[in-house]
Amino acid sequence: MDTFEIKKHKIWIMKSLRKGLGLGRPDHGQERNMFEKCPSCNTVFSRKELEDSHHVCPSCGYHFRMGAHDRIRLICDPGSFEEMAAGMTSANVLDFPDYRQVLKEAKQVSGLNEAYVFGRCTVRSYAAVTGVLDSSFIMGSMGATVGEKITLSIEYAQQHQLPLIIFSASGGARMQEGTVSLMQMAKTSAAMRRFSHQGGLFVSCLTNPTTGGVLASYASLGDIILAEPGALIGFAGPRVIEQTIGQKLPEGFQTSEYLLEHGFLDRIVERSELRDIIGQILKLHERRRSASWNL
Amino acid sequence: MESLTAYDRLGLARRMDRPRTMDFIRRMFTDFIEFRGDRCYGDDHAVVGGVALYRGLPVTILGHRKGSNVEDNILCNFGMPHPEGYRKSQRLAKQAEKFGRPVICFIDTPGAYPGTGAEARGQGQAIADNIALFSELKVPVISVVIGEGGSGGALAFGVADRVLMMENAVYEILSPEGFASILWRDSSLADRACRLMKPTAQDLLELGIIDALIPEPEGGAHMDPDAAIDSVDRQVQRSLSVLMKQDLLTLVRNRDRKYRNMGSRKTLSQKTKE
Ligand SMILES: [Zn+2]
């Protein structure tokens, strides 16, 4: 997991807890964060404005991080999403000190039971399984439960012959679960292979940030790999690389645009076009089209 | 050896005079021939691959290569692969499958190399492909953690029917120094991090992540490298003779099931009950 991202995240959690912000989740009954500043151009917007613009900065196009349910609202047809395995929570597999507390705080901050949310839905009327990693839950890191839920989403898609769309946003493996987290890379990748052998379509959508063990497992195994503009995508974190090579990284290194140019992405898709593009991909992969075609 | 801490073992695992992949190849196999290159970009010296006879049976060998002195280590980048290393391994693993040869992997790396070239050429993609390929490879695969098994760069060679681990080897999500500097912003707390991460063979055997712990000579493998390699050899022989009797369908199904259950709700709740 990337040092820089974790630090930022920890500071962010501390700040948000201290201020008692609900971070846009109405069920907290606390004062809501009404304004947000664009980290790219420093313009301040109301949350309403940002929600209306799908969390994209109206002045510079910066793509803000997006929670799982906001993402689902953006992609899935209204009311079509049926969440699965929502109640699954993580256990402290290594008896790691304070991990229970970290989990508890993550639940409060994110309003989720774990970092991965998935379910059945339709996108532009095409049935699919959609999964989203939420970076507000311990950096969207993949421990045993996230690995298990991702695997369940793959297996559900396989059983029901549905296309699978996963939006990744993760700092990598969940540190507090040690080598058990590492094994989730194997578990999710193997499940993805089985799904692929059955002809399943996997659209992997990389969002800011997708790093470490998530990038080096299922997320890189998409039939089609999309990314949002300006996302940080890489195996090693930028700080670790800078420390290793002893120099500053060039501007734009490990961004979506960089990966596209190096041949690791099919397309970069603006958030405003994401639903249409995914809908189009699902349309082009409908099995019945090929099966019933004749002139 | 009972009194060694995880951090003590990490120290042993990193010793320059500890037997390395090349030492295992020399002592356990005959007729080894190295095959190089990923047929795409280059040859990664941090990964060694080739074919040899194991007690008369042709096998494919893959492993991280570390040197036994600083000069050698610079040549093989301290056992930290670039994407080319993982792509070479995919090439050789597919070849093993084509010719029905078992694959034997030796894990000994601080991790995949965190550099600009590695990222530009798709480190994440290369590791993911390697893991996915080994999860369905239709030949027996045995993986031995002989030194430090660091993160995804180690796991790329660690998806196997049998994962064996030497007594003083460690297998971890990232280096304890990195872990400590992320969690407590102090890499000098690596000792504490190491204990909490539970990266030793004994820990991982209890967690069901490895299949066997291979005892080392008193004081560690470097005290008697030949004896250490011979005990690995005996365990590899035992595992391979069991795996060779299984039909490939059963083999792959069992491997699949093993990884499917890693940290699943079912296995975790069993662990809690114990
Ligand atoms: Zn802006």
Side-chain angles (χ1 to χ4, degrees), chain A residues 94 155 193 197 235-236 254, chain B residues 119 125 136 171 198 260:
Chain A
L94 300 186
E155 289 171 347
R193 269 298 158 104
H197 283 308
F235 176 64
Q254 293 184 310
Chain B
E119 294 291 318
Q125 178 83 57
E136 59 179 8
Y171 195 177
K198 305 212 165 109
R260 178 63 190 84

Side-chain angles (χ1 to χ4, degrees), chain A residues 16-284:
Chain A
S16 41
L17 283 176
R18 225 176 289 132
K19 289 182 189 161
L21 301 176
L23 290 165
R25 304 207 177 266
D27 50 350
H28 276 257
Q30 286 167 319
E31 186 200 345
R32 287 183 60 186
N33 190 6
M34 297 306 289
F35 296 96
E36 263 186 67
K37 189 159 97 176
C38 172
S40 173
C41 71
N42 290 326
T43 317
V44 176
F45 300 99
S46 72
R47 275 208 71 93
K48 176 81 175 62
E49 272 177 288
L50 275 181
E51 270 163 33
D52 290 347
S53 66
H54 305 305
H55 303 263
V56 174
C57 171
S59 93
C60 79
Y62 175 82
H63 283 53
F64 283 78
R65 294 190 186 186
M66 218 177 175
H69 289 291
D70 284 336
R71 176 69 67 181
I72 286 158
R73 269 191 293 280
L74 174 75
I75 299 300
C76 306
D77 296 336
S80 72
F81 184 78
E82 298 166 40
E83 188 175 352
M84 290 164 182
M88 278 177 77
T89 52
S90 283
N92 191 357
V93 277
L94 300 186
D95 295 319
F96 197 92
D98 303 333
Y99 185 34
R100 277 178 213 287
Q101 187 59 28
V102 169
L103 286 168
K104 203 174 138 198
E105 286 169 13
K107 283 181 195 179
Q108 283 168 1
V109 166
S110 66
L112 305 172
N113 282 323
E114 247 303 342
Y116 186 68
V117 174
F118 79 98
R120 202 188 157 113
C121 67
T122 61
V123 182
R124 294 274 182 252
S125 306
Y126 299 101
V129 175
T130 294
V132 187
L133 270 175
D134 190 318
S135 66
S136 69
F137 197 107
I138 319 183
M139 269 313 298
S141 55
M142 179 162 70
T145 301
V146 168
E148 181 70 10
K149 287 186 79 174
I150 290 173
T151 305
L152 289 173
S153 66
I154 300 167
E155 289 171 347
Y156 184 87
Q158 183 175 336
Q159 278 157 19
H160 295 82
Q161 300 199 1
L162 291 169
L164 173 65
I165 308 146
I166 298 181
F167 296 87
S168 296
S170 176
R174 174 91 38 102
M175 300 218 304
Q176 293 89 340
E177 295 185 25
T179 315
V180 176
S181 300
L182 198 60
M183 294 302 132
Q184 305 311 308
M185 295 169 66
K187 182 164 86 182
T188 54
S189 300
M192 206 55 97
R193 269 298 158 104
R194 290 193 293 270
F195 177 55
S196 184
H197 283 308
Q198 301 297 314
L201 167 70
F202 172 38
V203 181
S204 180
C205 190
L206 313 180
T207 71
N208 189 35
T210 303
T211 60
V214 164
L215 183 70
S217 65
Y218 78 87
S220 282
L221 300 174
D223 297 292
I224 295 158
I225 305 183
L226 308 176
E228 288 196 325
L232 169 71
I233 304 169
F235 176 64
R239 281 290 167 89
V240 177
I241 299 174
E242 285 186 341
Q243 280 163 13
T244 307
I245 63 172
Q247 56 195 64
K248 289 224 60 87
L249 292 171
E251 182 88 7
F253 183 70
Q254 293 184 310
T255 57
S256 312
E257 293 72 17
Y258 180 89
L259 265 85
L260 183 73
E261 284 313 310
H262 283 81
F264 294 103
L265 302 176
D266 288 284
R267 301 178 69 89
I268 293 174
V269 183
E270 301 267 341
R271 201 167 275 168
S272 57
E273 294 175 342
L274 211 40
R275 183 191 280 195
D276 285 337
I277 292 284
I278 289 173
Q280 187 183 351
I281 290 170
L282 298 182
K283 180 179 181 182
L284 291 167

Side-chain angles (χ1 to χ4, degrees), chain B residues 139-151:
Chain B
V139 285
V141 183
I142 295 173
S143 214
V144 195
V145 189
I146 59 171
E148 191 175 7
S151 85

Side-chain angles (χ1 to χ4, degrees), chain B residues 218-235:
Chain B
E218 192 69 43
H222 65 283
M223 298 295 283
D224 190 348
D226 286 353
I229 294 171
D230 288 345
S231 50
V232 168
D233 182 32
R234 281 190 293 277
Q235 187 60 51

